[in-house]
Amino acid sequence: MAEPYYRANVLVCGGTGCTASGSAEVIAAMEAEIKRRGLQDEVRLVHTGCRGFCAMGPVMIVYPEGIFYCQVQAGDVPTIVEETLVKGRVVQRLAYQEPDTHKALPFYKEIPFYSKQIRIALRNCGMIDPEKIEEYIARGGYEALSKALTSMTREEVIEEVKRSGLRGRGGAGFLTGVKWEFTAKAPGDVKYVVCNADEGDPGAFMDRSILEGDPHSVIEGMIICGYAVGAKEGYIYCRAEYPLAIKRLKTAIAQAEEYGLLGDNIMGTDFSFHLHIKEGAGAFVCGEETALLASIEGRRGEPRPRPPFPAVCGLWNKPTNLNNVKSYANIPQIIVNGAEWFSNIGAKRSPGTAIFALTGKVNNTGLVEVPMGITLGEIIFDIGGGIPKGKKFKAVQTGGPLGGCIPAQHLNVKVDFDSLKEVGAVMGSGGMIVVDEDTCMVEFSKFFLTFAQAESCGKCVPCRVGGKRMLEILTRITEGNGTLEDLDTIREIAKGMETGALCALGQLTPGPVMAALRYFEDEFRAHILDKECPAGTCKALVRARCINACPSGVDVPAFVALTAQGRYQEALDIHRERNPFPLICGRVCPAFCEQKCRRGDVDEPVALRQVKRFMADQEKDHPWTPPKKEGPKDKKVAVIGAGPAGLTAALRLAQLGYPVTVFEKLPVAGGMMAVGIPEYRLPRDILNIEIENIKRAGVEIRLNQEMGRDFTMDDLLNGMGYSAVVLAIGTHKSRKLGIPNEDLPGVYHGVNFLKDVALGKKPDVKGKRVAVVGGGAVAIDAARTALRLGASKVHLIYRRTRGEMPAWEEEVHAAALEGIQFHFLTNPVRVIGTDHVTGVELQAQQLGEFDASGRRKPMPIEGSEFVLDIDLLIPAIGQAAAVECLGSCGDISFNRDGTITVGPDLATTREGVFAAGDAALGPATVVEAVAQGNKVAVAVDAYLKGQKVERPKYVTAYHNVPQVFNMDDYADAKRPQMPELPVEQRVCCFDEVELGFDEKTAREECKRCLRCDLEWVETMGVEAVTQSDKDAVAV
Amino acid sequence: MATVNIKINGQQIQARAGITVLEAAKEAGLDIPTLCHHPALANIGACRVCLVEVAKQRTLQPACTFPISEGMEVETESPKAVEARKFVLQMLFSERNHYCMYCEMSGDCELQALAYRYGLDHWTYPSPHAKMPVDGTRKYFIMDHNRCILCRRCIRACSDLAANHTLGVRFRGAKTMISADMDVPFGESTCVSCGTCLQVCPTGALIDRKSAYMGREVHVERTASTCTFCAVGCGTSVVTRAGHVLRVEGDWDAPNQGVLCVAGRFEPLYDTRERITSPMVRKGNGLVPVSWDEALAAIAAKAKGNGGKKTAAYVTGKALNDTLSEFVKVFQGKVRATVGTLEPTLADLELPVGGALADLDTADCVLVVGGDPLATHRVLGYRVKRALDKGARLLVVSDKPNGMAALAHRIFPMAQVAEAVKIAQGSTAPVVIYGGDLDKAGARKLAALTGKARFISLFQGTNGYRARELGLKNTLNANGVKVLYLLLGDGELPEKAVQEARRAAFLVVHAAYKSAATDAADVVLPAPLWYEQDGNFTTLDGRKAVVKSAVAAPEGVLAEAEVLARLAEAL
């Protein structure tokens, strides 16, 4: 019976990814629904192989329109049938949505994930029913075979493949045509063709998808190869873990045989070819050709030295051509369309396409086929849709466990065999694992090494022993027991393995570690020297991710647990051990702890900053007298600058018994906390409470004392009798825009603007049109302050997009709410005005290549200039230390960015003089300045005691607060919203915007904490230090 | 033969095409260090010690597997090669327990020698090795995994030389271990204790129990000889120190290619029988030591004039050629006594003899009839198994349980020998191995293969070939014998034969050890042991194999031929 003439085809993906997300149920429901509506003669349901967009599975395409539906569930089926198949309308909610704009893109060809792809090897995957040879033939299948057998000689076929420039897709990239020629020319009557389908890279599934989605393309490629090299028999070596692939291959082979496309006298010619499937047991090393052949022969899958190469002496010592699944899948297209067609796709020396299994921390995980020569950044950000949850891209691992990582600075690298090699990675067979800031590169490379060394066959010494030794060293480093010599040892072992191992597995095993070491040596050194894991994943070094993320190392779980119990004073004491400014940080901290909170992996992070604020607010009326830790000392210390770094350093030194004097240039103490952060974020009375706390420790703060004007460094160290000086002068100088007319009146630099407002100078902004330039915290603060001072209109000009703004997202959101007008992808090129600013000329930007930080560089669009009429221009594009005051100090060196040169011990180039905070770090946050203050105090203390400390570390006891309530009760608890002043009320005054949690909200919120620290205590077998169980109060 | 010109370390070398860099270097007198390589074994390029720098090659290449080609330039001790080699050695030393000072092989260890050669005088990598098991379940030698470097020489010896396939590797990567069968204790495995693995082990991982710690190579002497425990005639190297035999090793250059069997390598060293060191004559109830003259005179007194059937003399097939000649001369020539051998010589089967071990290397069909080489001529049996590994067919014709039956493609009862012959006739290069269980009727059918097949006879006596040549057909029969002379050498008479011998009125036993036979004797003459004699014997393939004394016989023990000569004089 002839097939009905269908008016619509519904293709449902049956790839592994979509099957896992429920495509089988969708198919069943669709079948039932079509039947129920009596549409079985009009609508055809096709169960296809992998369509590639696994992140969005189960996916469905409805033809002839090409409507693409994502994450379809069985329950959606009646709607789809009703709306699309009956009424011809798109179900918008099932369409793919652009991540930024949430715009629905209902048509397959519009979706960026697909629009940048070129599908050659995957051309049929997801388009046909892989179990029907007729569908393959309908899409041009076996045309190439017929062309080769009937109109081409063997030599012509090889010549065509050679001219196409196809390079082996198994990873090594050897020219396929040349390989075929070797086998064809090798003496011998019996020859074999073998397909390597032993795909073993963790996370790679392209071979599997082709075998499952389009098995005939591989079979056809192999038959053509058999014809070209003179083989009558072929083997497909496929791992037994791919049962579906094996089943589809068997079906396909049977169908091809039935159609006379495989077997004796193919298509009536005298060419015969038989194909067998050999199931492999899943040893990774069996992907190596000689090991694979040994395995087919029934021996232990181990590589042997080459020469002789398989082309001469392969399977059962006969000449054998061995290619990867993807290589064979390309062949029919090359034969049909010709070598020129193929060689014009992709890169010059790597023609054609590359297939990647895009996985890891990327939005659009799945299988992509892209032209060679596309940049890495395009794959990850355009096709892959960037990094989830707004995290920062860190690196991408290509080539699987034998490849290497590529960091952000190489996002512009072209993806082809040779370019990837240059940056220390390899093409490999096509795994691409994206990692974000939360991945520790030491741990990450250790993961691959663990895999590769476990998969070593154990035959040759360098691989068998070298991998193990290297893993031991890496393990040691991740546990905080590494030494710097270990890094040299790793390099030595790597060299030994690369030059000495028998096969590619051993030679490439050190690859991931070496690439990580090449680009992320700092992380290795942090593990070794500071016993810290910056990414917060190495268990032994990370008590909890929040503690690890906090620059000043506040014991977050402890204060949260105590706050939950209502024990605010104890909670505060613990906080102040590391950071004396809980009131301030409860308001202005960007809360690095929250960004890494594990609860965030479940739903939303615990509102740690707000909890902190609540905790601190409870005790603000009870003045804190910092405890003394050591007895009084004679040597005096001078601290220059009363910002967070200076005050913290002063506090810690005073606690150690040193008489400390803080010299402050301004009439107020607090540094940027006083003159940088606007009052609507940090009220002055709150700030002053914590400054008074510092004074209570015995610290003397002298205001209006400017270095160079009121005293000199020599005065301090000689006449005034200070034994050590800490420079904590911050960064109070604004960077210039570097455009014409910048010095015109009406250009008011952001830092100065905020300072003047804070000091009560009340700049005249009322009724004026203001434009702020920049995307950081100062720019937002300046804009919101200008609004509050009565500006008629406030513009914010930023050269990149919103997602790339360094400012805190909540602040940006608040600014937008308050009516600030953003101009993204815009940059000022000229200030307009004769004696005063009247406008600014802006130029539109577009994002181009990636810069070293992994962000796309703004590139000017010529001719896009336009003028914005304004009265005031506030540049806020960065700050530098106002180091002029140090001119008289002598012997102090500076870095190119204007920061003071310090060693790891924060000592400057002048004996007895140290530097900390923004002046040493560059502009940063309060909590980072506090960390610097803590650290410099340790350094100064050691210096004054005549001790040598290379890497001072501020150490405090940790606290083990018991868990006193049932955590399960809070499994579903939601993070509360912070109550805020209504927008209309806040824009006209400097009242604090955030209103704070009430007690119940705050204490309940604390109970959402997962207490990761307890897990660490248990794993590490550490004994509790402070609290005992009996102190616990059940609430 | 085609030759190619290559350069090794700047030295221009002309070598045969197709050989490896290692072979070419060796022929030119250049020494490339190796570890997993062994001349008798196939190369696997695993240890990476022989890595050399070959011009235009991306990576270093193992000299043991890399073939030479015209114009090739090789540096064997370039900095890169030496660095890689040292790395390999350091890795090996970090892998397991290689504290040489406690090792039996210290001084003779190939790993240790390489470490000295490349100046490894300290641990570069910490050696955190876990303690490995020591397998002491085998009687004659021990496997100490702590000393193993996984070079797999033992595995290749077991598989490729002995064709026994007991040893293999289990696990992979750093967990790789040598194991027997499916990981059973060696003593419970299919191991046949041929000891070939022991002989190829480069370190102290396989240790001979008997000779361990008894002397390094520089302390011992070696005597090239031939094993006298069966007719195969395996070349041996007898290792001695201060008059003691420490161990026996196989001769790599002999037809046995280094392989021995348990009966030749180990068992004789564990012989605990009591030695006879003086002639003895029965006086009263006991045997009393006497002088040679007195003992020989006592025999002469009885034997004189007792020729023909009244005197009979039988000799062990183990006797060397000159002993056999002298034996025939004295007893057949002079005494005209009935003479024969203690073991049958298969002469009555009237089948060809003289097939050699090497014939099995090209055989495509092996016919084993009426005998079990794996029980009696083991090294021959191993060679058959090697032939099977290469694809030969095995046909076993036997009415008894046969050690080769499990390997046979087909098994026939003796009555159907003709069918086996028919199959063999269809092959290209058949080899027939026949033994004493073959009857005359069967032999006649087997004879059909004459001309096509090579025939290997399983002589029960070591020197059966020569005995057959000398026409020594008779087997022990004491019926009506007045004087019976038995030359046992260091062999032993079966219980049944002892009973037969007792029927003689006057029994002379010429033997190395005390036994039931000597207890029954009227005169006992001492004989030397296997390692105390010089001479030769004829192997089953007709080769004249040289036997050399490794240790002098105790004073008063004379060579068998000399004793016979002196007896002739006394007669």
Side-chain angles (χ1 to χ4, degrees), chain A residues 41 546 793:
Chain A
D41 288 340
C546 48
K793 181 78 193 167

Side-chain angles (χ1 to χ4, degrees), chain A residues 283 300 302 305 307 454-462 464-466 468-469 472 489 492-493 495-496 499-502, chain B residues 44-48 51 60 65-67 83 87-88 91-92 94-95 125 128 149-150 152 169 171-174 176:
Chain A
R300 183 176 155 103
E302 281 181 348
E455 291 293 338
S456 161
C457 75
K459 182 174 177 180
C460 80
V461 177
R464 181 182 76 229
V465 195
K468 181 84 192 297
R469 288 291 92 85
E472 284 159 2
T489 312
E492 273 168 36
I493 296 176
K495 195 172 168 199
T499 52
L502 196 159
Chain B
I44 55 171
C47 73
R48 319 305 279 175
L51 287 177
L60 297 172
T65 61
F66 202 79
E83 202 184 332
F87 172 74
V88 165
M91 285 295 113
L92 281 174
S94 80
E95 191 177 22
Y125 296 91
I149 55 167
L150 299 168
R152 307 186 181 189
V169 273
F171 299 138
R172 60 188 178 205
T176 305

Side-chain angles (χ1 to χ4, degrees), chain A residues 580-612:
Chain A
F581 303 122
L583 277 170
I584 297 167
C585 286
R587 287 165 167 83
V588 303
C589 191
F592 299 107
C593 50
E594 255 184 70
Q595 293 167 24
K596 303 281 175 182
C597 176
R598 184 167 274 144
R599 181 80 194 209
D601 298 348
V602 182
D603 42 34
E604 277 188 282
V606 178
L608 295 171
R609 184 176 60 82
Q610 284 98 319
V611 164
K612 176 184 298 195

